[in-house]
Amino acid sequence: MLNYENDISPFNEAFCTHLEFQLCYHFDYHHYEELNGYWCDGVSWFPMPAYQLAKKHVNNKRRIVTKAWIGEDGQDEYEMTVLFGKYSLRRYARGASLIDCIPDLKSEDWIEMDIENKKIEITLR
C-alpha cells in the first residue's frame, strides 16, 4: 500500500488537470474528423488499484491505468493508459512534476484512441 506521507505521487491532481487541458487543445488543434467536437472533462488521479502509483510499480510496468472523461459532451468514460518514456520515468522516480513530460501540442504520435472500445493511450516523453 502506498504511504502518501512518504511517497507523494507526481501523478496528481495538478498533472491530471494539465493533461486534461492538453487533450482538449490537442483535439481542437489537429481537427481529426472522427474526433470532431471531442473534448476532455477530466482525468482521474486516483487509479484503481492505487498501488499503481508506487514508484517501484511505475518503474517496473512503465504505465498507470486510470479513467478519463472524453467525448462530444466530455462525459464518456474512457480507460486511460499513461505510458512512461525515459524522461518521465526519471522524473517520477525523483518525485518531480510530470507536466513538462507531456509532448508538444504539434506532436501527433503521443495519443492513441479507440473510440469504439472507449480506450485512450498516451505516451509521456
Side-chain angles (χ1 to χ4, degrees):
M1 187 164 158
L2 191 61
N3 180 344
Y4 288 99
E5 290 180 30
N6 299 324
D7 195 12
I8 300 298
S9 172
F11 191 87
N12 55 30
E13 182 177 6
F15 168 74
C16 290
T17 299
H18 192 81
L19 179 58
E20 169 191 343
F21 290 122
Q22 287 303 103
L23 288 169
C24 288
Y25 297 142
H26 181 84
F27 297 149
D28 189 48
Y29 181 84
H30 290 287
H31 305 292
Y32 302 114
E33 186 175 319
E34 66 276 9
L35 300 176
N36 188 32
Y38 270 51
W39 61 288
C40 181
D41 193 28
V43 175
S44 175
W45 56 91
F46 292 117
M48 291 312 244
Y51 67 77
Q52 293 182 83
L53 296 175
K55 289 178 183 177
K56 181 176 176 138
H57 179 81
V58 170
N59 187 60
N60 291 343
K61 299 294 183 180
R62 300 183 179 335
R63 74 183 64 224
I64 292 176
V65 180
T66 191
K67 290 186 263 187
W69 291 269
I70 299 172
E72 290 179 349
D73 63 359
Q75 297 303 305
D76 294 334
E77 188 174 298
Y78 276 68
E79 176 184 286
M80 174 181 272
T81 302
V82 178
L83 301 172
F84 288 80
K86 289 181 182 181
Y87 181 65
S88 53
L89 277 174
R90 284 193 306 269
R91 303 225 8 120
Y92 199 92
R94 290 194 319 253
S97 173
L98 297 173
I99 290 173
D100 65 338
C101 299
I102 299 171
D104 182 81
L105 178 63
K106 295 177 184 175
S107 176
E108 293 187 59
D109 62 350
W110 65 285
I111 298 176
E112 294 288 329
M113 283 192 63
D114 179 348
I115 297 169
E116 186 176 314
N117 294 308
K118 295 195 181 334
K119 294 185 179 195
I120 182 171
E121 185 176 276
I122 67 158
T123 303
L124 302 176
R125 298 185 300 121

